[in-house]
Amino acid sequence: MNLHTIDTGLFKLDGGAMFGVVPKSIWKRTNPADANNMCTWAMRCLLIEDGERLILIDTGIGDKQDEKFLSHYYLHGSDTLSKSLANKGFSTDDITDVFLTHLHFDHCGGAIVRKGDKLVPAFKNATYWSNEKHWNWAVYPNAREKASFLKDNILPIQESGQLKFIEEKEDVDFITGFKVGFAFGHTDAMMLPKLTYKNQTIIYAADLLPSIGHIPLPYVMAYDMFPLQTLKEKQVFLEDAAKNNHILYLEHDSVNECCTLQQTEKGIRLKETFALKDL
């Protein structure tokens, strides 16, 4: 198995929304905001090369939405999904599997592209993976989360016939060396890939831990549907990662790709950060 970082660009979200009840005077130390209170975030995906399979975890926001929609998120940076794949020697046609941790637009928008007046899969040869519980949650969204589940990102996947569901079962095997965990606080049945790589465990943290700035336990996003559930899940997640020296792959941290954790007098805190390629 080989792993490749796939950067799809940067965007901005409101700092208050990203840190919930934590005051700006505290969170700005790790995530400085601009004049509009917006902080910069990555949309960092992961490519897994395993035999004849080429598995892409998440796809970033894409570019098919209209200018008004995209203007809210201040897309910037020179990286794109296709450019990052090309830099690793691959094209969208080479992808065999697209694993979507969840269906919020900044995680699955790049899965579908616009061709003329049609919306079609960006990865024509790939199987798209979700789970039935989260899929139904996204297709029939609640009013609070509806703006994050865009039908243009979701329904064309099913209409293409390329959609399959993973069983909702903790630590289910996707492939050898790739187990799937689940979290239910951020959104219902978000999936967390757990990879065995170079005799270490790497966990794709998705939105359970967006950045190193979110490591302290109370630092929970206002975007989370069930914040108390997130607190419980996050505590178990952090304690397990610190105890077992797991490597956390950070999807939204604009500076740090990976980190490890340690137990301190103040609770679990950052141990070190590094790039995936340095493992």
Side-chain angles (χ1 to χ4, degrees):
M1 180 186 289
N2 293 316
L3 302 183
H4 306 280
T5 297
I6 301 296
D7 292 305
T8 71
L10 303 168
F11 73 140
K12 292 187 176 186
L13 293 172
D14 184 85
M18 286 298 289
F19 287 98
V21 300
V22 179
K24 181 179 180 180
S25 59
I26 297 176
W27 59 252
K28 71 177 183 180
R29 301 170 190 170
T30 56
N31 296 82
D34 65 17
N36 295 317
N37 210 49
M38 306 289 278
C39 299
T40 293
W41 306 96
M43 291 176 285
R44 183 179 295 113
C45 306
L46 182 63
L47 187 66
I48 302 170
E49 197 178 359
D50 188 73
E52 296 183 354
R53 296 180 77 167
L54 197 61
I55 305 164
L56 179 65
I57 301 178
D58 284 353
T59 65
I61 198 170
D63 59 6
K64 66 180 176 298
Q65 303 302 324
D66 61 38
E67 184 176 347
K68 181 180 179 181
F69 176 86
L70 294 175
S71 71
H72 296 309
Y73 302 103
Y74 303 91
L75 272 63
H76 59 288
S78 59
D79 293 314
T80 66
L81 177 54
S82 58
K83 185 187 294 186
S84 291
L85 287 173
N87 287 340
K88 304 299 181 183
F90 303 109
S91 74
T92 54
D93 291 350
D94 296 322
I95 303 299
T96 62
D97 301 86
V98 176
F99 183 101
L100 299 170
T101 60
H102 60 298
L103 297 167
H104 287 166
F105 63 81
D106 55 315
H107 294 258
C108 74
I112 296 296
V113 295
R114 192 178 302 278
K115 287 192 175 180
D117 60 350
K118 294 183 178 181
L119 294 169
V120 299
F123 307 93
K124 65 180 184 181
N125 298 317
T127 299
Y128 285 69
W129 297 91
S130 182
N131 67 80
E132 190 169 12
K133 186 173 187 179
H134 181 68
W135 183 268
N136 290 332
W137 182 263
V139 172
Y140 305 104
N142 62 75
R144 185 168 181 265
E145 204 173 1
K146 186 176 181 180
S148 293
F149 291 128
L150 307 182
K151 292 187 181 299
D152 285 355
N153 290 336
I154 299 172
L155 297 183
I157 299 174
Q158 189 171 47
E159 292 165 358
S160 73
Q162 294 172 231
L163 175 66
K164 288 188 177 180
F165 291 138
I166 292 170
E167 182 183 6
E168 188 209 322
K169 181 180 178 182
E170 189 67 25
D171 285 341
V172 64
D173 287 309
F174 182 62
I175 60 171
T176 300
F178 182 154
K179 292 183 179 293
V180 182
F182 289 83
F184 300 85
H186 177 62
T187 187
D188 205 16
M190 177 174 68
M191 299 191 290
L192 303 176
K194 301 178 180 180
L195 310 173
T196 301
Y197 182 66
K198 296 184 177 180
N199 296 316
Q200 299 179 85
T201 297
I202 299 178
I203 303 178
Y204 190 95
D207 279 351
L208 182 57
L209 189 74
S211 74
I212 63 169
H214 290 86
I215 292 172
L217 194 58
Y219 290 47
V220 171
M221 293 187 289
Y223 294 115
D224 286 15
M225 291 299 102
F226 309 102
L228 294 181
Q229 180 70 24
T230 295
L231 274 175
K232 294 176 183 179
E233 292 169 342
K234 186 178 173 184
Q235 183 169 12
V236 172
F237 179 79
L238 295 177
E239 289 176 352
D240 190 50
K243 178 181 178 180
N244 295 291
N245 204 35
H246 291 162
I247 295 166
L248 307 182
Y249 186 87
L250 304 170
E251 187 162 11
H252 287 312
D253 194 306
S254 63
V255 177
N256 305 291
E257 288 186 15
C258 300
C259 75
T260 53
L261 306 176
Q262 60 186 338
Q263 184 72 53
T264 74
E265 292 180 356
K266 294 183 177 181
I268 293 172
R269 294 293 186 267
L270 179 69
K271 183 177 181 181
E272 59 181 343
T273 62
F274 45 90
L276 181 65
K277 64 181 178 59
D278 294 332
L279 286 178

